[in-house]
Amino acid sequence: MKDSSKTKATIDKSLFFIPLGIVIVFCALVAVFPDSSTAAFNAIFGVITGNFGWALQWFFFANTIIMIYLSFSKYGDKKLGNEKPEFSTPVWLGMLFAAGTSGVAIYWGFSEWFQYAVAPPFGLEPLSRQAMTYASTYSFFHWGPSAYGLYATVAVVFGFFFFVKREDTNRPSVACASVIGEKNAKGLLGKIIDIVYMMGIIGAVSAAIGLSTPLISAIIADLLNIETSLWIDAGILVFFTIFFVFGVYGGLQKSMKFISNLKLALVIGLLAFVFLIGPKSYMLNTFTDSMGIFISDYFKMMFATEPHTAGTFPQSCTLFFFAWWSAYALNTGIFLARISRGRSIKQLVLGSTAASCIGCWLHFIVLGYYGMHAYETGVVDVIHIFQTQGITDAIIAIIKTMPIATVVLVVMLVVMAVSTVTVINSAAYTLSIVSTNNLPADEEPGRANRIFWAIALGALGLVLIFIGGLGPIQTISLSTGILTMVIIVIIFIAFFKYDGKKWDEYMERNERLDAEAKEKKVEVQE
């Protein structure tokens, strides 16, 4: 019986070869024509931000309204299934908190403030008092309810499909069926939707790898007292990919829980250490001041496009993050839904958004404000180092002002490395699941499938590093994020106009089916 179920799980050729082919062709073109590729990225970035950026802003604002509606309307008290929650509330909140902690959060936590201070929004003078004020504030906007709220609302829809409608699928095409029709969902249009979903994951994860790997490389180079180079970056990614490949055969998945717990413990330890040795009053006062500005200027930050000036802050920063969150939203929303069975909608939306925001914001409050204080008090000229040597050197310079700086660098190296391996692992598993037909819930996708995706992700991350700078990463995120946004809109329409209206009907059906199953089980036992 077990063997027959395995034969049913086959590779979906269109969902495997088309996205993989796109990645291979993309990497080849960039490798052969690097200068032309850079020019193309810049042109695409300008077209997207100039013509479609406003749509992302309205989309995220609309999602904020959807968050409030889901939490406090008739949906708020509805539950994702008849079962009790799979995880206790403290464990569940801890998992959500962990979602806001990552290697990329450490990267941006240290560096976001000085990038914004040098190129501030609203036409402000660089490094002015106002520029520094917004530099300490914008992180709460970019990494706040606007981001994690989208994950939560997407999680509500997929939680409905998993535990109320009882559709066991990880493909967004199924969630679009009520709008596009069952036939189209299973046909060409459904394939296109699922391919866009997969490309969104690939783009978002590759962007994360492209941002974190240079910092890992810089830390290694500093610890070993050697020069950073593209070869070190390449070696790191090759090592991570090989580590994952061997792990697939050696049971890496079984150790991922331990690795993730280790990462979380190290992150919490790092934040606690920096807070204790740092300017605690400065951090808390700056946080309080920034939250006040965040609340009072929320709409100003949400809708800023700066069409009458030469400013590029909304395009290079806000739209980049919005697109990144959009590209990640379906995958992260599915994960949040899977761990939230039995929770009410209000718990899911408010709990996941708050816990994730807190986990992420701590990086900016502790790491960011430590560096800002070191700059303002003349301990280290972070701005000069950033402008002359780059982001990673500025981050390392900040760390070197701390006691036992070498230990802190080692901890950061471990956290960044573990985060990168975890990102590759989770994305490869997701992509391999989506590209497999009829995969039973208790089985894993094929090893070769997972390995191919791990190699593809590592290769694309290396390509982004090879080109250099944030430009290619921003363009990839924008391109995939805009397309994913369209899918999410269709899913929301399907839920609110059709599927969600049958919530109580499905719950009554489930209660009846569960009662019948329980009776049959009792009869068999007797």
Side-chain angles (χ1 to χ4, degrees):
M1 188 74 178
K2 188 177 180 180
D3 292 335
S4 65
S5 68
K6 284 186 177 180
T7 59
K8 295 179 183 178
T10 58
I11 294 291
D12 187 316
K13 294 180 180 179
S14 60
L15 293 182
F16 180 81
F17 288 108
I18 293 177
L20 189 61
I22 292 173
V23 172
I24 292 173
V25 171
F26 175 85
C27 291
L29 288 174
V30 171
V32 176
F33 307 106
D35 295 335
S36 299
S37 299
T38 301
F41 278 127
N42 293 334
I44 294 170
F45 181 83
V47 170
I48 293 176
T49 55
N51 295 286
F52 305 106
W54 58 268
L56 274 169
Q57 291 170 286
W58 280 105
F59 171 69
F60 273 84
F61 176 69
N63 186 73
T64 304
I65 297 174
I66 292 174
M67 284 175 55
I68 297 171
Y69 175 70
L70 286 173
S71 299
F72 300 103
S73 69
K74 62 180 180 180
Y75 287 104
D77 294 328
K78 294 184 183 297
K79 293 188 176 182
L80 298 176
N82 300 318
E83 304 87 355
K84 292 182 179 179
E86 183 176 0
F87 303 99
S88 66
T89 299
V91 171
W92 179 67
L93 290 173
M95 296 171 74
L96 298 172
F97 176 86
T101 60
S102 66
V104 175
I106 290 178
Y107 171 90
W108 287 110
F110 270 114
S111 69
E112 195 162 307
W113 71 268
F114 59 72
Q115 295 185 63
Y116 294 171
V118 170
F122 312 127
L124 299 174
E125 181 184 348
L127 301 179
S128 63
R129 184 65 265 166
Q130 279 188 302
M132 295 296 289
T133 298
Y134 276 104
S136 67
T137 300
Y138 247 97
S139 299
F140 299 118
F141 174 70
H142 287 156
W143 299 73
S146 299
Y148 294 108
L150 180 61
Y151 298 165
T153 54
V154 171
V156 169
V157 177
F158 278 95
F160 166 82
F161 278 98
F162 295 151
F163 308 121
V164 180
K165 194 175 181 181
R166 296 187 176 178
E167 293 265 11
D168 189 16
T169 180
N170 287 300
R171 296 181 178 179
S173 57
V174 175
C176 297
S178 296
V179 172
I180 65 177
E182 291 285 346
K183 184 178 180 180
N184 287 327
K186 295 178 181 179
L188 177 61
L189 183 55
K191 296 293 185 185
I192 293 173
I193 288 173
D194 293 332
I195 288 171
V196 170
Y197 163 57
M198 295 174 72
M199 295 310 300
I201 296 174
I202 293 169
V205 169
S206 298
I209 295 172
L211 288 171
S212 60
T213 302
L215 181 55
I216 296 172
S217 176
I219 294 173
I220 292 175
D222 188 84
L223 290 172
L224 299 180
N225 196 26
I226 59 177
E227 292 292 327
T228 57
S229 69
L230 180 63
W231 292 109
I232 297 179
D233 295 339
I236 291 169
L237 280 177
V238 169
F239 171 78
F240 287 154
T241 305
I242 293 174
F243 177 76
F244 175 79
V245 169
F246 278 102
V248 167
Y249 284 90
L252 177 63
Q253 186 67 7
K254 296 179 181 178
S255 62
M256 268 300 144
K257 183 176 180 181
F258 169 77
I259 293 175
S260 297
N261 289 337
L262 173 64
K263 180 198 75 172
L264 182 60
L266 290 174
V267 169
I268 293 175
L270 174 65
L271 293 175
F273 170 76
V274 176
F275 180 75
L276 290 174
I277 61 103
K280 291 173 279 295
S281 296
Y282 176 89
M283 292 176 181
L284 296 174
N285 281 324
T286 306
F287 164 67
T288 303
D289 185 68
S290 297
M291 283 304 296
I293 297 171
F294 166 61
I295 293 170
S296 65
D297 287 10
Y298 172 80
F299 290 100
K300 182 179 180 179
M301 292 186 284
M302 173 63 78
F303 292 111
T305 61
E306 301 186 6
H308 307 297
T309 67
T312 60
F313 185 90
Q315 290 74 29
S316 60
C317 298
T318 300
L319 294 182
F320 161 62
F321 281 114
F322 279 1
W324 201 5
W325 307 143
S326 181
Y328 258 127
L330 289 171
N331 187 46
T332 306
I334 288 173
F335 165 73
L336 293 179
R338 290 289 187 189
I339 66 172
S340 300
R341 182 174 60 188
R343 297 285 169 186
S344 71
I345 302 308
K346 182 182 292 185
Q347 285 179 314
L348 173 55
V349 174
L350 299 182
S352 66
T353 302
S356 298
C357 284
I358 291 171
C360 185
W361 284 354
L362 286 174
H363 291 72
F364 297 99
I365 296 169
V366 176
L367 306 180
Y369 294 166
Y370 177 92
M372 184 177 284
H373 182 266
Y375 168 72
E376 291 184 341
T377 55
V379 175
V380 58
D381 193 348
V382 180
I383 302 298
H384 176 72
I385 297 172
F386 163 56
Q387 293 177 318
T388 57
Q389 300 176 47
I391 295 173
T392 55
D393 285 338
I395 292 174
I396 291 175
I398 293 171
I399 294 172
K400 285 189 170 182
T401 65
M402 302 177 185
I404 57 171
T406 301
V407 175
V408 176
L409 283 172
V410 171
V411 170
M412 270 193 62
L413 175 63
V414 174
V415 171
M416 300 291 289
V418 168
S419 295
T420 303
V421 172
T422 304
V423 163
I424 294 174
N425 174 66
S426 60
Y429 265 77
T430 300
L431 293 167
S432 57
I433 288 172
V434 176
S435 58
T436 302
N437 284 322
N438 304 316
L439 183 68
D442 58 346
E443 290 188 16
E444 294 184 344
R447 287 174 174 173
N449 195 346
R450 287 177 274 162
I451 290 170
F452 272 118
W453 284 120
I455 294 173
L457 290 168
L460 187 52
L462 183 60
V463 164
L464 292 176
I465 295 171
F466 173 71
I467 297 176
L470 272 175
I473 293 174
Q474 291 172 324
T475 304
I476 294 252
S477 294
L478 277 169
S479 302
T480 55
I482 286 283
L483 294 173
T484 306
M485 177 191 71
V486 175
I487 296 175
I488 295 173
V489 170
I490 296 173
I491 290 174
F492 282 166
I493 293 172
F495 175 76
F496 287 109
K497 191 172 182 180
Y498 301 103
D499 297 304
K501 293 181 177 180
K502 299 179 181 179
W503 193 299
D504 294 334
E505 180 182 327
Y506 284 123
M507 290 292 284
E508 291 174 3
R509 179 206 62 180
N510 295 342
E511 290 178 3
R512 184 176 67 257
L513 292 176
D514 292 343
E516 292 174 357
K518 187 175 181 180
E519 289 178 4
K520 289 182 180 180
K521 185 177 180 180
V522 171
E523 290 175 1
V524 171
Q525 291 176 344
E526 292 177 348

